[in-house]
Amino acid sequence: MTSHMLREVQEIPQVSRRFLMESQGALMAAAAAMRAADPGLIVTVARGSSDHAATYLKYAVELLAGVPVASVGPSVASVYGRPLRLNGAACVGISQSGRSPDIVEMMRAAGVGGALSVAITNFDDSPMAAASAHCLPLRAGVEQSVAATKTFVTSVLAALALVAEWQEDAALRAAIETIPEAFQAALALDWSPLAARMARAQQGYVLGRGPAFAIACEAALKLKETCGLHAEAYSAAEVLHGPSAIVQAQFPVLALAVEDAAQAGVVQTCERLAAQGADVFVTGAEAAGCEMLPSVGGLHPLVAPLVLAVGFYGFVEALARRRGFDPDTPPHLRKVTETV
């Protein structure tokens, strides 16, 4: 029987096309507002997978626009009631449901504090959308699996599209236009060697740099949620500042390398961990002592990590079932988590 998770992963190409078509007007309006505001700072508000989407946005903005991006804890507004001075800033909130009270309150407070507020959510009639000046509706349809997949990918796509239009960047615009086809290709990636290694694993690391670090964070969360596996995400640089000390023989490592300026450094880290005895799997690059996993090549460096996420989702859904878990219903979790 096909899981909801697998079915929703397979919908990602179609959902991405629908977002690009149906949310074009909202996207253009938000981008125009960003150009008019010309923010010197962007803050993000999100939790869980949505916070990983916000991390992806951070790297895209900093690399393309040169504007610093910082994550703001929603509890600053919802629990501590502390106003933030955000004149001259933009605030981007990301939430699949748009209903968590802490996210909603932080978006409202950001607007009061002077920020241009933009909501990225699956529901344009949600409280978060109502509390924001602009909303980019994902149009992803109902997501029944507790583990977010198509809404995560579309959230990052919305963020990338906003950056491309705000900065009027022709290369990123062109990459986004063809991303549904890249997603379709990613669905066919075969990561069975990694599945064979992780079938009985109890722990592991997921590594990345830049936008791929955001996907590493998302991958580690999904390994916890759906597979009962204690996975931790690190920057491929940060892992060498302490965490690599516990990497010994047969310690599993997944490294998400893409064709960008950080690729050589990721490969170097992979080779160092393999020399310590780790079982290292790396995407899209040859590394001594490591096994290379297939990826979709020839992509814009700001979209390539997101395409990897689609391939990873297909892999992790199958791994969850192989390990005896139902990927749709992780223990102790609900689809919508409402925190204060």
Side-chain angles (χ1 to χ4, degrees):
M1 180 177 177
T2 301
S3 69
H4 291 308
M5 183 179 178
L6 180 58
R7 185 162 52 249
E8 287 158 6
V9 170
Q10 292 171 338
E11 289 174 10
I12 288 173
Q14 173 190 353
V15 166
S16 63
R17 290 189 188 95
R18 185 163 63 235
F19 167 79
L20 292 173
M21 291 178 58
E22 296 184 6
S23 294
Q24 185 74 0
L27 178 64
M28 293 303 180
M34 292 281 285
R35 284 194 298 274
D38 190 23
L41 169 70
I42 295 177
V43 297
T44 61
V45 184
R47 292 199 188 278
S49 286
S50 294
D51 198 38
H52 304 152
T55 299
Y56 204 116
L57 171 64
K58 167 187 171 66
Y59 281 104
V61 169
E62 291 178 351
L63 292 173
L64 198 64
V67 176
V69 181
S71 174
V72 174
S75 61
V76 170
S78 64
V79 174
Y80 298 102
R82 176 62 177 173
L84 295 179
R85 294 179 291 177
L86 293 172
N87 287 316
C91 178
V92 180
I94 306 177
S95 170
Q96 183 270 333
S97 69
R99 297 208 306 267
S100 189
D102 52 351
I103 306 290
V104 174
E105 179 56 23
M106 188 68 242
M107 293 302 291
R108 185 201 65 77
V112 172
L116 169 68
S117 55
V118 180
I120 297 176
T121 179
N122 204 23
F123 300 98
D124 55 4
D125 59 351
S126 65
M128 186 179 81
S132 305
H134 293 270
C135 177
L136 303 183
L138 302 181
R139 313 291 190 201
V142 175
E143 189 171 58
Q144 293 182 287
S145 178
V146 169
T149 54
K150 63 178 179 176
T151 54
F152 170 80
V153 171
T154 315
S155 293
V156 177
L157 175 59
L160 286 173
L162 177 62
V163 175
E165 295 303 330
W166 164 36
Q167 293 294 299
E168 299 180 303
D169 187 279
L172 185 54
R173 279 172 168 166
I176 287 169
E177 286 177 3
T178 61
I179 204 170
E181 289 72 31
F183 289 156
Q184 190 67 51
L187 291 175
L189 294 177
D190 180 9
W191 287 9
S192 53
L194 178 62
R197 173 62 189 86
M198 301 300 285
R200 292 178 177 81
Q202 297 303 313
Q203 61 184 341
Y205 284 167
V206 188
L207 309 181
R209 289 293 297 271
F213 171 65
I215 301 304
C217 292
E218 172 64 8
L221 174 62
K222 288 297 185 285
L223 287 167
K224 293 184 184 84
E225 277 185 330
T226 66
C227 299
L229 194 155
H230 185 195
E232 296 296 332
Y234 289 101
S235 155
E238 192 67 29
V239 74
L240 301 178
H241 291 261
S244 61
I246 70 169
V247 175
Q248 299 176 358
Q250 298 184 311
F251 191 100
V253 176
L254 168 61
L256 303 176
V258 298
E259 297 173 23
D260 68 0
Q263 186 183 56
V266 174
V267 168
Q268 187 175 29
T269 296
C270 289
E271 291 177 345
R272 177 168 167 175
L273 296 178
Q276 292 179 210
D279 292 334
V280 182
F281 296 81
V282 58
T283 63
E286 296 280 356
C290 307
E291 182 155 358
M292 188 173 77
L293 298 175
S295 60
V296 180
L299 300 175
H300 189 293
L302 287 181
V303 307
L306 183 59
V307 175
L308 274 181
V310 178
F312 173 83
Y313 282 153
F315 150 77
V316 81
E317 188 275 343
L319 179 64
R321 290 185 286 105
R322 184 169 179 170
R323 289 171 62 93
F325 288 86
D326 179 353
D328 290 335
T329 56
H332 315 301
L333 296 177
R334 296 183 301 166
K335 180 60 185 171
V336 177
T337 302
E338 297 187 2
T339 48
V340 176

